């Protein structure tokens, strides 16, 4: 394993960040290669735990001559976000200077030529230069896995429709319970920027690729058990795709969960601000009209309670982690079988 430290100068003198890049040189330069990163949103750590346990597995494979394709790992993809705290709270999701989500506004390229992207010392903001640098690292690989998490959540994936059903193998390897499929590039998340040039390829070449945002459950699901299990899931997938060789691994592609277009996701929103009391946990199958959540607007007065019900039957995929909401904020994601009447174009809040 080679460790490269890429230093990006800050926007004012005396500041800089370091990107730690771990590289495994594959034995076969024609083999499928893989890029994995975590914590593009600085406070999202389940993926970082998975990579923490995956890296020793990759080192062992390298020692035993079983790394076939090139692998690049960036366990901490956003040192800006990792350092972004306010009043003792870790934020890490939006650039302080511009207010832009760290997982939005990536450049969309039509080819894999990254020469037009801003250099690490270009006259651009640090966040823009970091995004360009992450794309430069990721785009030379056929497999790109961007590891995120939701608030309180099942383990699920965002996948462009063009990579389905081939990528059911990833869902099977990771034990994901659902896939959210998308086909628009309105907000240019990292995944979209990595998928964009791949989508211009002929179908045969495109289908050999795998680009995704992995949502490894919720913000607090950071522990030894899930970290190790997720590392094993990533390892199984890399073996299955031929990046690693391991004769002891046989992946059964048995994903049977819902594949839900984004427009079928019911985003349950708070009509007013107040305390949140959930009626159902994540993973619950509900019927249309079932109670989902009550917003308490006037504590002590049941007359102020607003109870939201399921607009259609479906599965509760996520809940917010906090218990006090502002008017209009998202409270839950419900996976429906038909288009949501309140569907918005573009991505959700990955
Ligand atoms: Zn995220």
């Amino acid at each position: 394993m080679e460790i490269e430290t890429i230093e990006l100068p800050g926007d004012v003198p005396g500041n800089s960040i370091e990107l730690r890049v771990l590289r495994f040189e594959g034995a076969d330069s024609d083999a499928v290669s893989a890029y994995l990163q975590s914590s593009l949103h600085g406070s999202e750590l389940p993926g970082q735990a998975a990579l923490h346990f995956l890296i020793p597995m990759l080192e062992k494979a390298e020692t035993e001559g079983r790394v076939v394709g090139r692998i690049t790992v960036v366990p901490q993809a956003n040192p800006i976000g990792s350092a972004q705290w306010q009043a003792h709270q870790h934020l890490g999701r939006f650039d302080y200077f511009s207010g832009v989500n760290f997982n939005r506004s990536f450049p969309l390229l039509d080819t894999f030529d990254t020469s037009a992207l801003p250099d690490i010392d270009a006259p651009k903001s640090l966040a823009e230069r970091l995004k360009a640098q992450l794309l430069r690292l990721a785009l030379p690989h056929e497999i790109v896995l961007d590891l995120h998490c939701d608030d309180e959540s099942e383990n699920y994936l965002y996948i462009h429709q063009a990579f389905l059903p081939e990528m059911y193998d990833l869902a099977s390897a990771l034990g994901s319970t659902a896939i959210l499929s998308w086909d628009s590039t309105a907000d240019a998340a990292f995944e979209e920027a990595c998928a964009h040039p791949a989508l211009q390829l002929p179908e045969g070449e495109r289908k050999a690729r795998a680009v995704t945002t992995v949502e490894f459950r919720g913000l607090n699901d950071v522990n030894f058990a899930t970290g190790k299990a997720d590392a094993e899931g990533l390892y199984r997938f890399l073996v299955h795709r031929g990046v690693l060789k391991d004769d002891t691994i046989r992946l059964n592609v048995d994903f049977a969960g819902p594949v839900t277009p984004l427009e079928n996701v019911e985003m349950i929103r708070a009509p007013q601000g107040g305390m949140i009391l959930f009626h159902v946990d994540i993973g619950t199958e509900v019927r249309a009209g079932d109670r989902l959540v009550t917003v308490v607007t006037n504590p002590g007065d049941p007359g102020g309670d607003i109870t939201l019900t399921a607009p259609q039957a479906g599965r509760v995929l996520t809940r917010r982690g906090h218990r006090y909401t502002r008017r209009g904020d998202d409270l839950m994601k419900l996976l429906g079988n038909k288009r949501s009447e309140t569907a918005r174009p573009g991505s959700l809040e990955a």
Side-chain angles (χ1 to χ4, degrees):
M1 179 177 77
E2 281 187 20
I3 302 177
E4 182 189 1
T5 302
I6 300 174
E7 184 174 324
L8 286 84
D11 291 331
V12 294
N15 286 269
S16 65
I17 58 167
E18 289 182 351
L19 210 49
R20 187 162 150 268
V21 182
L22 314 179
R23 299 179 193 275
F24 298 85
E25 204 52 57
D28 179 357
S29 58
D30 293 330
V32 173
S33 64
Y35 174 86
L36 298 91
Q37 75 174 25
S38 168
S39 307
L40 178 57
H41 287 139
S43 66
E44 297 179 3
L45 296 168
Q48 202 172 112
L51 295 181
H52 177 67
F53 292 110
L54 177 66
I55 286 157
M57 298 167 77
L58 299 181
E59 287 185 288
K60 181 168 187 286
E62 185 174 54
T63 304
E64 295 169 358
R66 296 187 288 104
V67 177
V68 185
R70 203 157 35 90
I71 305 171
T72 305
V73 185
V74 182
Q76 189 186 2
N78 183 2
I80 310 169
S82 298
Q84 201 183 50
W85 294 70
Q86 189 167 33
H88 299 259
Q89 299 289 316
H90 197 181
L91 303 176
R93 189 174 186 84
F94 298 92
D95 179 29
Y96 277 151
F97 173 68
S98 64
V100 173
N101 188 320
F102 285 118
N103 193 22
R104 293 290 184 277
S105 299
F106 274 85
L108 292 180
L109 303 174
D110 287 331
T111 72
F112 293 95
D113 177 5
T114 58
S115 59
L117 291 175
D119 290 328
I120 53 175
D121 58 353
K124 296 276 184 184
S125 75
L126 179 56
E128 288 174 275
R129 288 180 283 124
L130 173 64
K131 288 173 184 175
Q133 182 56 39
L134 293 174
L135 269 189
R136 258 193 301 275
L137 289 168
L139 280 179
H141 302 79
E142 285 86 6
I143 293 171
V144 177
L145 307 183
D146 187 18
L147 310 181
H148 287 248
C149 69
D150 211 299
D151 265 30
E152 294 178 2
S153 175
E154 297 205 281
N155 171 353
Y156 71 97
L157 304 172
Y158 285 95
I159 301 178
H160 191 284
Q161 288 169 4
F163 299 115
L164 294 172
E166 283 72 15
M167 281 185 66
Y168 285 8
D169 58 353
L170 179 65
S172 302
L174 299 182
S176 309
T177 55
I179 292 172
L180 300 193
S181 67
W182 60 273
D183 66 354
S184 75
T185 52
D187 301 329
F190 178 76
E191 173 196 356
E192 296 171 84
C194 292
H196 197 70
L199 295 172
Q200 323 301 319
L201 295 172
E203 185 173 347
E205 285 178 57
R206 186 206 331 130
K207 292 286 191 187
R209 291 175 175 260
V211 182
T212 183
T213 306
V214 177
E215 298 284 349
F216 267 143
R217 307 178 202 79
L219 282 167
N220 285 328
D221 295 320
V222 185
N223 53 64
F224 284 99
T226 49
K228 286 178 180 171
D230 292 341
E232 285 164 10
L234 293 168
Y235 182 88
R236 273 195 295 276
F237 174 69
L238 294 175
V239 172
H240 183 72
R241 286 287 178 123
V243 184
L244 297 171
K245 187 169 166 46
D246 187 335
D247 294 335
T248 68
I249 300 287
R250 192 75 65 223
L251 177 65
N252 189 15
V253 180
D254 57 358
F255 173 72
V259 179
T260 305
L262 289 188
E263 66 260 25
N264 289 17
V265 178
E266 299 284 2
M267 299 294 280
I268 309 301
R269 298 201 171 86
Q272 291 185 38
M275 178 170 63
I276 304 166
L277 297 173
F278 288 114
H279 293 278
V280 289
D281 204 346
I282 56 172
T284 308
E285 298 282 348
V286 298
R287 294 163 301 178
D290 282 357
R291 290 182 303 173
L292 298 177
V293 56
T294 293
V295 179
V296 177
T297 64
N298 196 21
D301 173 13
D305 290 1
I306 303 170
T307 295
L308 305 174
T309 57
Q312 59 170 310
R315 183 183 182 92
V316 177
L317 184 70
T318 72
R319 308 194 309 192
R320 291 310 294 267
H322 56 226
R323 292 296 182 266
Y324 200 72
T325 187
R326 294 168 65 91
R327 185 187 294 250
D329 206 358
D330 301 326
L331 300 175
M332 309 173 86
K333 291 191 195 83
L334 175 71
L335 301 181
N337 292 315
K338 59 185 184 194
R339 183 181 167 84
S340 164
E341 288 180 8
T342 56
R344 290 185 297 200
S347 21
L348 303 178
E349 79 278 20

